[in-house]
Amino acid sequence: MKKIILLAETGSDVNAELAKEYGVEIVPMHVSFDTETMDDGAFPVEKIVDYYQTTGKLPKTSGSTPEDFEIVFDRIHAEHPDAQILYLAYSAITTCSMQSGVIAAEGRDYVTIVDTKQVSAGQCNVVIAMAELLRDHPDLTMEEAVEAAEDLISRANMCFMPDNLEFLRAGGRVSNVAFLGARILNLHPVIEILDGLLMATKKYRGKMNKVAAQLVADYAEKYDLDRECLWLVYVIGFSDEVRAVVENAAKEAGFKKTRWIQAGGVITTHGGPAAFGLAGFSRKK
């Protein structure tokens, strides 16, 4: 059987340590500061917060380009000429990355593409689950791997909760009225990834160390999440106090383990400082 190599974008928040551990290849997405465009992952995320505090503007994010994919596809093929690439894409509805991958894959019959319909920890959850499956079953054909990936995607769930709406307002995703109302009432909206789209579904009221624990309990029950593992993603500024609360809430909800990742540049730009999210799979019926 031909070896299958997994590929994802930096927006999956599969960090360098995970990528190395599981043999996942990563393609950069991009963040632009005025006229300077940088690869996501090539700079400290503090730069995003500093830029906003200095200019009052958010940097702009963009997906991977066809050239980004061509470089990675060709390098992998040169290093592993007999391998196949399974690209598990960042939600195609939200960015151009997957379309760029499709363009770059033309004439490269060793590339297969599947839309995870997820971002950040949701995508990471799918990618790492697939990496573990391929590690345990290295004889899987590409057809079998795609079938397994599609099953995981159908059961994948992710949400995130901003600490405040300042970055969402600055990025034009919420109005000034909504921002002021949320600040006055101490509201924290929950953003879920539904069919690839980011949708506000619920609001919690109160301090983050209280509502974060409630979100973990509610979300695990709502989607009947498999209690084997809960993925958690945080943005710079997320406090150790709230992290401990979330850990305890996950334990009380019955999760055997939690895995934390830090959001990169793309997700930091959208979520804002101190935001956090969680991802898991619904149990098989």
Side-chain angles (χ1 to χ4, degrees):
M1 297 296 177
K2 291 186 177 181
K3 179 181 180 181
I4 296 174
I5 295 174
L6 299 178
L7 178 72
E9 304 92 333
T10 51
S12 68
D13 290 326
V14 173
N15 57 39
E17 292 75 20
L18 285 171
K20 181 178 181 180
E21 178 182 355
Y22 288 100
V24 177
E25 296 285 347
I26 303 296
V27 177
M29 296 173 77
H30 306 284
V31 182
S32 297
F33 303 85
D34 287 326
T35 59
E36 180 186 25
T37 297
M38 305 180 71
D39 287 353
D40 183 19
F43 60 90
V45 290
E46 289 85 351
K47 181 179 176 69
I48 292 168
V49 178
D50 293 344
Y51 178 80
Y52 176 72
Q53 291 175 343
T54 301
T55 67
K57 300 185 297 183
L58 282 179
K60 297 187 181 301
T61 62
S62 56
S64 309
T65 67
E67 291 75 20
D68 292 324
F69 282 101
E70 288 170 2
I71 290 169
V72 177
F73 286 163
D74 289 345
R75 176 179 56 76
I76 294 173
H77 191 55
E79 294 172 354
H80 307 278
D82 294 328
Q84 297 182 68
I85 297 171
L86 177 54
Y87 163 36
L88 297 172
Y90 191 98
S91 172
I93 296 177
T94 63
T95 186
C96 66
S97 283
M98 181 171 159
Q99 184 57 37
S100 293
V102 170
I103 293 169
E106 291 180 5
R108 293 174 169 86
D109 60 3
Y110 53 88
V111 178
T112 299
I113 300 173
V114 178
D115 183 1
T116 67
K117 301 180 182 179
Q118 290 288 333
V119 306
S120 187
Q123 184 183 5
C124 177
N125 186 29
V126 172
V127 171
I128 299 305
M130 276 303 303
E132 291 175 339
L133 181 65
L134 289 170
R135 178 180 289 182
D136 293 341
H137 303 279
D139 57 341
L140 282 183
T141 65
M142 180 59 80
E143 182 179 24
E144 291 168 334
V146 168
E147 183 178 352
E150 289 176 341
D151 171 65
L152 291 171
I153 291 164
S154 72
R155 296 186 290 112
N157 301 282
M158 183 204 165
C159 69
F160 74 93
M161 178 184 283
D163 182 49
N164 63 66
L165 301 184
E166 189 168 1
F167 270 41
L168 290 172
R169 179 192 61 168
R173 296 177 182 87
V174 300
S175 67
N176 284 332
V177 172
F179 167 73
L180 291 172
R183 186 167 67 177
I184 292 169
L185 298 174
N186 204 12
L187 295 176
H188 299 273
V190 177
I191 313 296
E192 292 191 48
I193 316 302
L194 300 174
D195 247 353
L197 290 169
L198 281 68
M199 306 284 290
T201 58
K202 187 174 182 177
K203 293 185 179 72
Y204 287 82
R205 185 175 181 178
K207 293 183 178 180
M208 188 62 123
N209 59 4
K210 175 184 176 182
V211 299
Q214 192 61 52
L215 173 61
V216 171
D218 290 350
Y219 201 72
E221 182 178 355
K222 179 179 179 180
Y223 289 103
D224 188 25
L225 295 184
D226 188 306
R227 298 310 200 264
E228 190 65 33
C229 178
L230 182 68
W231 283 90
L232 296 155
V233 58
Y234 69 95
V235 179
I236 182 175
F238 187 67
S239 76
D240 290 340
E241 177 190 2
V242 180
R243 178 171 177 145
V245 166
V246 169
E247 288 272 7
N248 187 61
K251 184 177 180 180
E252 289 186 350
F255 288 97
K256 296 178 182 178
K257 66 178 179 179
T258 55
R259 302 187 74 172
W260 287 90
I261 50 176
Q262 181 176 340
V266 169
I267 304 304
T268 296
T269 301
H270 295 304
F276 92 104
L278 51 136
F281 294 115
S282 293
R283 292 171 180 167
K284 290 186 177 183
K285 303 299 183 184

